[in-house]
Amino acid sequence: MTDIKIKIESLYKIFGNKPASVLQHVHDGMSKADLLEKHGHVLGLKDINVDIPARGISVIMGLSGSGKSTLIRHINRLIEPTAGKVIIDDQDVLAMNKKQLGDFRRHKASMVFQKFGLHVHKTVAENVAYGLVIQGIALKEAKKQSQKWLDRVGLAGFEEHYPSQLSGGMQQRVGLARALATDAEILLMDEAFSALDPLIRTDMQDVLLDLQTELHKTIVFITHDLDEALRIGDNIAILRDGAVIQQGEPQNIIINPADDYIFDFVKDINRGRVLQVKTLMSTGTGISGPDIVEKTVLEDALQVIANADTKAANIVDEGGNTVGSITLEQVVKGLARPDVETNPESRYR
Amino acid sequence: MSSLTEFLTTFPAMGRRDLSELKKAIDGGFRTFSREFGESLENFFYPLLKFLVWLEKLLLATPWPIIILIVAALAWFGSRSIKIVIGSVLSFLAIGYFGMWKDTMSTLAIISVSTIVCISVGIPLGILMARSDRAQAIVTPILDIMQTIPAFVYLIPVVMLLGIGKVPGLIAVCIYAIPPVVRLTNLGIRLVEKEALEAADAFGANYRQRLFGVQIPLALPNIFAGINQTIMMALAMVVIASMIGVAGLGVPVLRSISNQYLALGMMNGLAIVALAIIFDRVSQSYGERLQRHRHGVQHD
Ligand SMILES: Nc1ncnc2c1ncn2[C@@H]1O[C@H](COP(=O)(O)OP(=O)(O)OP(=O)(O)O)[C@@H](O)[C@H]1O
Ligand SMILES: [Mg+2]
């Protein structure tokens, strides 16, 4: 049902003078710390295999230094890999020549940056039109074509302002409009909202989700904030020390964290507001009790179930068909934080 | 014992005879070189000489009220400040009133031409330096030498090659005045934010679009500071250049030194200062207006 837009295969990136010479050590399983200490090279990415589905928002998460920016910059090849493939629509980006890569960047993938990356010597309208100008369209025409994106992100009236006259949130709207204006199918967002205040950040997430229901772009979104990841991500991949340690649906990651590192990420979230009944239900025939839609979060479900005589509820999909059932006990269990067996082997760092 | 004392007190220098042989050989070599290439060099610089002479004649032939109008217009265009315009006009009136009009026009001509030469050589050189670390490693020490070597020292080979006249003067001025524009072009481009460039790359900009669309516009305030300094340094060379035959305000200054004419020297010196201040204020406020966009509310 989901077709894959971007396929990343055994991607490695090592920073240093002679990356190829130490690649074998990484293949042999040398750790990031050892590689730095013994060979003076930094392990950026290690054997990354990720499939990014088309028309969805894929989130890449990880702590600072885990390799998120490095990974996203391989998709449009702002960083050259040490080994591996990035296949987009049957074409390996890493094998493109200069001209193909230029075309790819001009038409197929656009990017939004953490520090906005705006051109401070240009007006808002000129910034938004930038991608089109680079495609070779005359500035006047490019401005006309990009005006609708400028309006769409709520910047109408600010066309002639300079970026330094805008607040951070407004500046990132310019960054977003600039990326949308080229009509690229792929949108790469490197911590695009991390520099913004919490309220403005939520605003921008709404803007993005809103646009996405209409545009269905393939979005790769980087963040270190789990709440943000859960709010907008259709699926999540988690990076640590340059390697992907878990990927899948957000709900699954929360109830089955692969190790302590991920457990640390998910332990503090408000489970009642994030987990959906669908994730915890017993599938199959319904039971007698009130109906709850499958995407209801536990907190809301609790209300209904606690008041029901049977202390249980039927789960139905959006069409009203029964898909399973859930009991009060299951809900309460879901709300409690699971114990991860603290196996000393799996303890990170 | 006594030989040791001698060794310690007198430096084991090259023999006097050998030394003079060496110097003679160098001088002879250079003389041969200049005999060989002096003429082709002169031909090479001929268009520049023609341009300089043409500009000087033009400035001298133009009626003085028109020159003053042009000065006022340029000052207004550059600075948009009525104070600077009035200051410039008054300075030029005073210069004319005290009989220094002609020399001032000659000085303006050579300053303009050398500034044009410095910009058209210096900015591309600075761009090259910003692009390649190797170019920077090669050019930087050369600029250091150009800025520290006493002007009189490089006047010698220039005069040997090209004789006395306007072109050697122009070259001497350029050698002295070009380093700031080169350095600040390089610096300005290297200081352009990484994010702004990364955005250009991500949208598929080619080298030319990157350079002219992002790097140079963002480096412009620095490049402008370099041009400003280059003009100042060119003015500072006016007196030395007049020693090798460049007409202008330097000539009466030289004459005053050898004849102890205090008033003449002061007046011409002050005229040079007035030109410097006008150039400086006008180009600086123009540079400031170029970066208007930076003066918004700052966020980070
Ligand atoms: N040009 C470089 N040279 C050497 N090491 C680098 C370079 N770029 C990144 N690294 C290293 O690669 C690792 C991953 O860096 P990266 O910027 O991708 O992390 P990140 O997950 O984006 O972190 P942050 O959340 O701080 O942005 C880090 O250890 C970093 O020091
Ligand atoms: Mg990063």
Side-chain angles (χ1 to χ4, degrees):
Chain A
M1 150 197 122
T2 46
D3 46 342
I4 302 303
K5 182 81 177 175
I6 306 172
K7 201 169 173 60
I8 300 173
E9 284 178 10
S10 352
L11 186 71
Y12 287 84
K13 175 65 187 180
I14 300 166
F15 293 102
N17 294 331
K18 285 189 178 156
S21 70
V22 297
L23 183 59
Q24 191 55 47
H25 296 301
V26 179
H27 281 312
D28 295 343
M30 186 178 272
S31 75
K32 181 170 172 164
D34 281 350
L35 190 75
L36 182 61
E37 196 172 319
K38 296 196 185 125
H39 300 281
H41 282 65
V42 178
L43 180 58
L45 294 174
K46 180 168 116 188
D47 196 19
I48 305 282
N49 292 282
V50 177
D51 288 344
I52 291 170
R55 298 179 294 282
I57 303 183
S58 300
V59 171
I60 297 171
M61 262 186 75
L63 296 178
S64 187
S66 57
K68 307 180 297 289
S69 299
T70 308
L71 178 55
I72 203 171
R73 278 166 177 69
H74 277 85
I75 297 175
N76 59 356
R77 212 168 129 195
L78 287 175
I79 296 181
E80 292 289 334
T82 306
K85 289 181 177 167
V86 173
I87 293 165
I88 298 178
D89 295 338
D90 297 328
Q91 237 196 334
D92 187 356
V93 178
L94 306 182
M96 287 179 181
N97 63 27
K98 214 170 154 188
K99 184 177 172 301
Q100 291 169 321
L101 183 62
D103 283 338
F104 171 78
R105 288 177 180 169
R106 282 188 284 274
H107 299 281
K108 206 122 183 218
S110 57
M111 195 159 183
V112 185
F113 300 86
Q114 178 171 8
K115 291 184 194 149
F116 319 139
L118 299 180
H119 291 158
V120 296
H121 60 295
K122 295 184 184 135
T123 61
V124 167
E126 287 165 359
N127 267 290
V128 174
Y130 185 69
L132 297 175
V133 171
I134 292 299
Q135 290 176 1
I137 298 170
L139 180 62
K140 206 167 157 209
E141 174 63 24
K143 275 192 190 169
K144 213 157 73 190
Q145 284 183 27
S146 54
Q147 181 69 39
K148 84 168 178 202
W149 296 111
L150 205 147
D151 296 341
R152 191 68 178 73
V153 299
L155 283 170
F158 290 93
E159 289 82 354
E160 297 312 313
H161 283 60
Y162 284 96
S164 62
Q165 298 169 308
L166 304 181
S167 69
M170 301 275 272
Q171 290 190 37
Q172 196 55 303
R173 283 168 195 258
V174 179
L176 187 57
R178 175 175 71 176
L180 293 170
T182 60
D183 276 330
E185 303 155 22
I186 299 171
L187 190 56
L188 306 172
M189 305 181 74
D190 185 6
E191 301 209 31
F193 304 152
S194 298
L196 307 176
D197 299 336
L199 278 179
I200 313 256
R201 191 192 296 193
T202 319
D203 259 8
M204 290 299 286
Q205 290 164 359
D206 290 337
V207 171
L208 182 69
L209 288 172
D210 204 28
L211 283 162
Q212 178 64 352
T213 52
E214 226 175 89
L215 303 174
H216 304 294
K217 285 182 188 285
T218 303
I219 300 178
V220 181
F221 191 100
I222 287 189
T223 180
H224 55 241
D225 174 4
L226 184 68
D227 289 321
E228 184 167 67
L230 295 173
R231 185 137 191 265
I232 65 172
D234 297 319
N235 45 65
I236 299 181
I238 299 179
L239 277 178
R240 188 220 311 168
D241 286 348
V244 173
I245 45 176
Q246 187 169 13
Q247 52 182 323
E249 277 183 34
Q251 299 273 318
N252 261 332
I253 292 179
I254 296 170
I255 56 169
N256 293 316
D259 66 6
D260 286 358
Y261 177 80
I262 295 174
F263 179 70
D264 276 354
F265 256 116
V266 301
K267 70 172 196 272
D268 291 327
I269 55 153
N270 185 335
R271 303 169 71 86
R273 290 214 189 125
V274 174
L275 284 177
Q276 299 168 357
V277 287
K278 182 179 156 197
T279 316
L280 298 169
M281 70 183 181
S282 321
T283 46
T285 50
I287 47 168
S288 65
D291 284 352
I292 306 177
V293 179
E294 58 182 6
K295 288 204 167 147
T296 313
V297 295
L298 296 187
E299 203 174 77
D300 299 339
L302 192 60
Q303 213 69 20
V304 182
I305 298 171
N307 290 335
D309 298 332
T310 50
K311 299 295 178 227
N314 252 333
I315 313 291
V316 297
D317 64 14
E318 261 132 38
N321 309 310
T322 301
V323 289
S325 64
I326 194 164
T327 63
L328 184 60
E329 203 190 331
Q330 279 172 306
V331 174
V332 173
K333 234 175 160 178
L335 287 172
R337 222 192 282 153
D339 284 323
V340 173
E341 300 121 52
T342 9
N343 169 4
E345 291 280 293
S346 80
R347 194 74 213 165
Y348 65 99
R349 282 193 228 277
Chain B
M1 196 66 208
S2 72
S3 65
L4 181 66
T5 331
E6 197 188 316
F7 176 77
L8 288 176
T9 48
T10 39
F11 198 94
M14 197 175 175
R16 191 178 297 166
R17 158 118 31 93
D18 292 344
L19 194 59
S20 87
E21 289 290 305
L22 176 70
K23 289 178 191 160
K24 250 189 230 155
I26 294 177
D27 288 358
F30 193 75
R31 231 169 254 133
T32 325
F33 172 80
S34 65
R35 224 172 289 132
E36 202 100 329
F37 295 101
E39 202 176 314
S40 39
L41 268 177
E42 249 169 67
N43 292 340
F44 177 76
F45 288 118
Y46 185 68
L48 211 56
L49 176 66
K50 268 193 87 170
F51 178 54
L52 177 56
V53 170
W54 172 80
L55 185 65
E56 200 174 341
K57 279 200 178 131
L58 180 72
L59 285 174
L60 284 170
T62 311
W64 66 266
I66 293 184
I67 297 276
I68 287 190
L69 272 180
I70 293 173
V71 167
L74 285 179
W76 174 251
F77 169 76
S79 68
R80 296 288 147 84
S81 148
I82 198 75
K83 258 200 248 163
I84 292 178
V85 173
I86 293 175
S88 310
V89 169
L90 286 181
S91 307
F92 269 78
L93 288 175
I95 282 169
Y97 188 68
F98 290 110
M100 298 179 288
W101 187 263
K102 226 181 129 206
D103 286 339
T104 301
M105 290 305 113
S106 302
T107 294
L108 274 184
I110 187 146
I111 297 301
S112 312
V113 175
S114 49
T115 303
I116 292 169
V117 171
C118 288
I119 289 174
S120 46
V121 175
I123 289 182
L125 196 58
I127 291 171
L128 182 74
M129 278 171 81
R131 193 182 179 186
S132 126
D133 285 339
R134 170 152 338 148
Q136 179 177 251
I138 296 171
V139 177
T140 307
I142 298 178
L143 294 180
D144 292 340
I145 294 174
M146 285 162 74
Q147 279 188 302
T148 47
I149 200 168
F152 295 103
V153 175
Y154 59 74
L155 281 186
I156 304 165
V158 171
V159 170
M160 279 170 80
L161 266 177
L162 297 163
I164 294 232
K166 287 186 195 308
V167 167
L170 188 69
I171 291 172
V173 172
C174 286
I175 292 176
Y176 185 73
I178 204 173
V181 69
V182 180
R183 276 189 211 279
L184 281 154
T185 302
N186 175 36
L187 183 74
I189 292 178
R190 282 177 184 263
L191 285 182
V192 169
E193 283 165 64
K194 199 177 118 281
E195 285 82 18
L197 278 179
E198 195 173 41
D201 288 337
F203 282 92
N206 59 28
Y207 177 72
R208 206 172 31 79
Q209 288 168 326
R210 228 168 161 253
L211 180 66
F212 293 107
V214 183
Q215 290 177 304
I216 291 188
L218 286 175
L220 217 49
N222 270 315
I223 296 177
F224 227 79
I227 294 175
N228 174 41
Q229 283 189 37
T230 287
I231 298 175
M232 293 301 109
M233 292 181 68
L235 268 167
M237 265 300 271
V238 160
V239 177
I240 293 176
S242 65
M243 288 177 60
I244 55 171
V246 174
L249 291 166
V251 178
V253 173
L254 271 190
R255 194 147 32 92
S256 326
I257 294 173
S258 40
N259 297 320
Q260 301 180 2
Y261 296 150
L262 175 63
L264 181 69
M266 290 286 272
M267 276 183 199
N268 284 278
L270 286 176
I272 295 175
V273 171
L275 287 186
I277 293 177
I278 294 170
F279 272 124
D280 184 60
R281 293 298 178 278
V282 172
S283 64
Q284 233 170 52
S285 43
Y286 182 68
E288 262 160 39
R289 278 198 298 122
L290 277 183
Q291 32 180 340
R292 220 176 358 176
H293 56 78
R294 289 173 196 234
H295 295 316
V297 201
Q298 290 298 324
H299 297 274
D300 42 13

